[in-house]
Amino acid sequence: MLAAQNNHPLTLAPAPDDRHRLAALQRYQGLDTAACGDFDFLTELAASVCGVPYAFISLVGAEHVSIKAFTGLALASLPREECYCSLAVLGQSATEIADLSLDPRTAAMPMTVGAPQMRMYSSVALTSPDGHAIGTLSVMDTRPGRLSGEQARLLRGLARQVMALFEARLHEQALNKARAELEALATTDPLTGLHNRRTLTQRLTFEVARTRRFRTPLSALMIRLDDVTALRRRHGDAALDQVLANVGRLLRENVRVIDVAGRYDADTLCVVLPNTPRDGAVTLAETLRGKIAAQIHRDAGRLLPVTASIGVGAFDQMEISDADSLLHQAGQALGRATSAGRNRVEC
């Protein structure tokens, strides 16, 4: 808010383009500037070149001001009507007030009338590349005064550096997101959301090595949808893909964080179960079999009944002592489950 000379607050109306300004601000509000000491350094530098004890980097939202970095006074957030930097969004590229207690806009603000009783205020708007003032780099003092021409010039230069740093952090964030998406594409089966076969094999090799070293139990499940050929013939590839996607989601929701669920081939899924003996693997397999059978799949409004057969393999440090033999054992058990009538678990 603004403060009138009779100390009754006036409503601070949003700038005419505040909606667009807030949209520009949204790009920067999620940045974790606390993890970057460069912003603190810029406030220290601003305070030093301006010869004042306080400096702040602030982002002005619709109702609150977020303090992204500070020197001299620790602040995190303030109501917009209590913050001097709200003036920056009214279209002035720079704001300087020699004595806050004598200016009707700021005389009644809490930091003027209460501790630390600010008097001098000078700021430069932080302007986004599309021309919107999203916040300020400001300096303050408890004594009245003004910046020299050289100090004002340096403060404007530092404000440009603040925005350059915001932009650099924004680009870094986008780059990290793109890298994560590429990594997910390289390791994840796009249809089921499970690990792809290459990643599944890598993780299994790691778990086998750990099992050998620490002699802990290790099991694996091979899961195949029953009568896939008939399902594809009757309902088409799109319906089969939807069923596989649904079953993949079911597996993701019903295995532990340490388990490794992946797509082994076109219609076979695999779950590697570290620290799990055969009995525990069989129990999980029965649970998954029941949940798959109970899942609801639809094609053009029609229900698609789907079941799965599951084979269980278990590491025994002797005959089953490597990744290939473990998968082979689980695959043989899967074959027996299919031959014995489907929708069953064999080990």
Side-chain angles (χ1 to χ4, degrees), residues 14 19 21 50 69 88 95 105 111 113-114 119-120 123 141 183 195 199 221 240 245 285 289 293 298 301-302 306 318:
R19 178 171 56 87
R21 188 192 69 80
C50 293
T95 301
R105 300 171 298 174
M111 291 180 64
V113 297
R119 289 296 177 265
M120 172 269 190
S123 71
D141 200 344
E183 182 178 354
H195 292 291
T199 308
L221 309 181
L240 177 58
R289 183 202 59 76
R298 295 182 183 275
R302 294 172 297 175
V306 174
M318 294 179 291

Side-chain angles (χ1 to χ4, degrees), residues 41-78:
F41 174 74
L42 287 172
T43 61
E44 292 173 10
L45 192 56
S48 178
V49 300
C50 293
V52 298
Y54 306 108
F56 304 90
I57 294 172
S58 312
L59 298 181
V60 182
E63 297 180 356
H64 291 85
V65 173
S66 175
I67 311 300
K68 288 297 185 179
F70 55 82
T71 290
L73 180 64
L75 294 173
S77 178
L78 289 171

Side-chain angles (χ1 to χ4, degrees), residues 138-154:
S138 59
V139 293
M140 303 184 205
D141 200 344
T142 53
R143 298 175 300 175
R146 293 184 179 277
L147 298 183
S148 68
E150 179 64 9
Q151 288 172 327
R153 184 185 71 82
L154 291 173

Side-chain angles (χ1 to χ4, degrees), residues 17 26 63 68 95 99-100 103 108 120 145 148 155 166 181 189 198 204 208 221 248 260 276 285 295 300 318 344:
D17 65 343
Q26 188 63 36
E63 297 180 356
K68 288 297 185 179
T95 301
D99 192 335
L100 293 162
D103 192 300
M120 172 269 190
S148 68
L155 189 64
F166 270 125
E181 290 174 350
D189 172 59
R198 180 177 63 85
L204 176 58
V208 165
L221 309 181
V260 185
T276 305
Q295 246 186 335
M318 294 179 291
R344 60 187 294 123

Side-chain angles (χ1 to χ4, degrees), residues 80-95:
R80 177 169 163 173
E81 65 269 17
E82 296 181 4
C83 198
Y84 310 126
C85 63
S86 298
L87 300 172
V89 304
L90 298 178
Q92 303 174 30
S93 60
T95 301

Side-chain angles (χ1 to χ4, degrees), residues 303-321:
L303 291 177
L304 305 181
V306 174
T307 60
S309 299
I310 304 178
V312 179
F315 206 88
D316 63 9
Q317 304 287 349
M318 294 179 291
E319 294 180 0
I320 311 301
S321 59

